[in-house]
Amino acid sequence: MDYHSLLARLGEGSAHPGGFQATKELIGQIHFPRGTKVLEVGCGTGRTACYLASLGCSVTAIDRNEKMIQKAAYRAKISELPVRILQADAASMPFADETFDAVFTESVTAFTKGSSAISEYWRVLKPKGVLYDRELAFAVKLTTVQKKKLQSFYGLHHLRTVPEWLKLMSKSKFNKHSASPFLQMKQLAGDDDPLRVIDHELFTKPDVIAMMMTNERLLSNFSNVMGSVVITAWKG
């Protein structure tokens, strides 16, 4: 079992830095008009997609993990919200060019190779469409040893500082982009998700418990340099 499969079976709906509270704050700052066609990339268990739909957005959500998609579909059904949910990869999305008004994604691009996902975000956005991307970022450049530790456990492809994220965006087709200040990862308060579906048998498996402990240890060891950045990019 890899990290993403573990998250799926745990029913984790907001594993990105800042959790769901940070998601709601960002969406509150954006103020999507009702009817905005939003694509959420890497929807996980559908928590953000359903929240966007509850605000009146027309939401399409994708994730490459089948278990995540199943739980997202369950959440949307129970919530009676019209979210279109598909299994698809950020680097190769099954949508026509210029389909969406906005792309919203959190802690997804860091797990994709090169600029493949960024190119897809640009392709599926309508002219004047906007990308909102909260990504894992680091306060300093990591050593090779540090990178290997994080890459081997999480499957990350990008371990970038804010300037390094901006450099990557500058090579894309987006005509304008900006980044928020680096926000250091902080300890989250209890997060109640009443529609979370957990596969409880996981807690009987020693290898899974060991993975959870490794995750906690890595987060603790890198807490001083690990955080997030919100990248906003506009398509002309």
Side-chain angles (χ1 to χ4, degrees):
M1 184 184 301
D2 62 16
Y3 173 70
H4 299 281
S5 296
L6 174 64
L7 289 181
R9 296 193 62 184
L10 287 173
E12 176 56 62
S14 303
H16 54 269
F20 191 57
Q21 183 57 40
T23 299
K24 290 195 295 183
E25 289 173 3
L26 176 57
I27 291 171
Q29 293 164 11
I30 295 169
H31 296 297
F32 288 117
R34 292 186 68 83
T36 301
K37 293 185 69 174
V38 181
L39 170 65
E40 191 199 358
V41 179
C43 66
T45 64
R47 195 174 184 188
T48 298
C50 286
Y51 181 69
L52 286 165
S54 75
L55 298 176
C57 294
S58 173
V59 183
T60 299
I62 66 168
D63 200 285
R64 65 185 180 187
N65 187 288
E66 183 179 4
K67 195 78 170 177
M68 288 290 201
I69 289 296
Q70 291 170 358
K71 292 187 176 182
Y74 170 79
R75 185 188 294 271
K77 181 179 179 181
I78 292 297
S79 304
E80 299 183 342
L81 290 166
V83 181
R84 181 188 181 201
I85 301 168
L86 303 170
Q87 185 176 5
D89 193 287
S92 180
M93 297 192 283
F95 307 115
D97 297 356
E98 302 182 359
T99 299
F100 301 98
D101 300 310
V103 170
F104 189 92
T105 186
E106 296 180 289
S107 249
V108 171
T109 311
F111 293 93
T112 62
K113 292 182 179 179
S115 58
S116 56
I118 296 170
S119 296
E120 280 290 87
Y121 302 156
W122 183 90
R123 183 183 67 78
V124 301
L125 278 169
K126 295 178 182 179
K128 302 190 184 303
V130 187
L131 165 68
Y132 303 95
D133 186 356
R134 182 197 309 281
E135 281 305 326
L136 181 68
F138 295 86
V140 296
K141 289 187 177 183
L142 301 181
T143 66
T144 301
V145 172
Q146 288 175 321
K147 285 183 177 180
K148 284 183 177 179
K149 284 181 181 179
L150 294 173
Q151 287 169 334
S152 62
F153 184 78
Y154 294 110
L156 289 158
H157 286 284
H158 298 278
L159 297 104
R160 295 175 178 269
T161 61
V162 174
E164 287 171 335
W165 274 117
L166 288 172
K167 184 176 181 180
L168 182 66
M169 289 302 301
S170 70
K171 297 177 182 178
S172 73
K173 292 183 179 179
F174 284 97
N175 24 345
K176 190 171 72 166
H177 60 272
S178 66
S180 69
F182 172 81
L183 182 64
Q184 187 173 338
M185 192 174 290
K186 56 186 176 182
Q187 189 68 34
L188 296 175
D191 179 20
D192 180 38
D193 178 4
L195 295 182
R196 181 174 181 174
V197 179
I198 302 172
D199 298 358
H200 288 283
E201 66 177 283
L202 286 174
F203 300 106
T204 67
K205 300 178 181 296
D207 58 330
V208 172
I209 300 300
M211 279 189 72
M212 292 178 183
M213 292 177 67
T214 298
N215 178 53
E216 291 298 322
R217 185 172 65 251
L218 286 171
L219 291 178
S220 176
N221 290 346
F222 286 89
S223 62
N224 289 334
V225 296
M226 185 184 289
S228 64
V229 60
V230 176
I231 299 163
T232 307
W234 293 264
K235 180 174 180 176

